[in-house]
Amino acid sequence: MKKELVLLLLLLVSVLFAIEPHFMNDPAISPDGKTVCFVYKADLWIVPFEGGEAKRLTVSDGTEWSPMFSPDGETIAFNTNRDGWAALYQIPAEGGIATAITKESFSIVDWFPNGKDILATSSEPGFSNKFFKVALKGGFEELTKFGGYY
């Protein structure tokens, strides 16, 4: 009986250690304060700020991070590595198909107030971050150079 109890406890402990906890992270609150977008298990989810059932926005083999609502709250821009590198994507806030903003390796910082451009950074080994204005319609321009060797 003692051996069975020890075996049962060992089995229980091994099962508990096999469970990997998943936490929500990277919360973004909509401009009207009514909705929260967050990352859970590498995908984007959305839920009312007051609580309720969360709705999954993305399903990809990659990892999504840094969601950010547009100034009008209708679009969420985010980073993803679904293509093998960090790219900027967008998805309607109510759900739909995620589309690439650019295939360049940028990290989202914020939206411009016009809702048509995104402030993003990019870095190269040996250099500091560079800031870019990335247009939703395509294209980007370098804004400034900070530090590094220029």
Side-chain angles (χ1 to χ4, degrees), residues 90 100-102 116-117 133-141:
Q90 63 182 334
I101 297 170
T102 179
K116 297 177 182 177
D117 302 297
K133 183 178 186 179
V134 180
L136 294 182
K137 64 181 182 188
F140 56 89
E141 66 177 284

Side-chain angles (χ1 to χ4, degrees), residues 82-110:
R82 61 177 63 190
D83 298 318
W85 59 88
L88 292 174
Y89 270 65
Q90 63 182 334
I91 191 167
E94 71 274 357
I97 297 173
T99 57
I101 297 170
T102 179
K103 296 288 185 165
E104 302 293 326
S105 185
F106 289 117
S107 294
I108 187 169
V109 175
D110 203 353

Side-chain angles (χ1 to χ4, degrees), residues 51-146:
E53 188 172 332
K55 174 184 172 186
R56 190 177 198 166
L57 293 179
T58 62
V59 178
S60 77
D61 291 333
T63 299
E64 271 82 58
W65 68 94
S66 298
M68 198 165 290
F69 281 91
S70 61
D72 64 7
E74 293 183 13
T75 304
I76 298 170
F78 61 97
N79 280 102
T80 180
N81 64 3
R82 61 177 63 190
D83 298 318
W85 59 88
L88 292 174
Y89 270 65
Q90 63 182 334
I91 191 167
E94 71 274 357
I97 297 173
T99 57
I101 297 170
T102 179
K103 296 288 185 165
E104 302 293 326
S105 185
F106 289 117
S107 294
I108 187 169
V109 175
D110 203 353
W111 284 80
F112 279 85
N114 66 13
K116 297 177 182 177
D117 302 297
I118 291 175
L119 177 64
T121 60
S122 184
S123 62
E124 298 174 28
F127 294 92
S128 297
N129 282 341
K130 297 177 185 179
F131 286 85
F132 293 86
K133 183 178 186 179
V134 180
L136 294 182
K137 64 181 182 188
F140 56 89
E141 66 177 284
E142 186 174 347
L143 297 177
T144 56
K145 297 178 182 179
F146 293 97

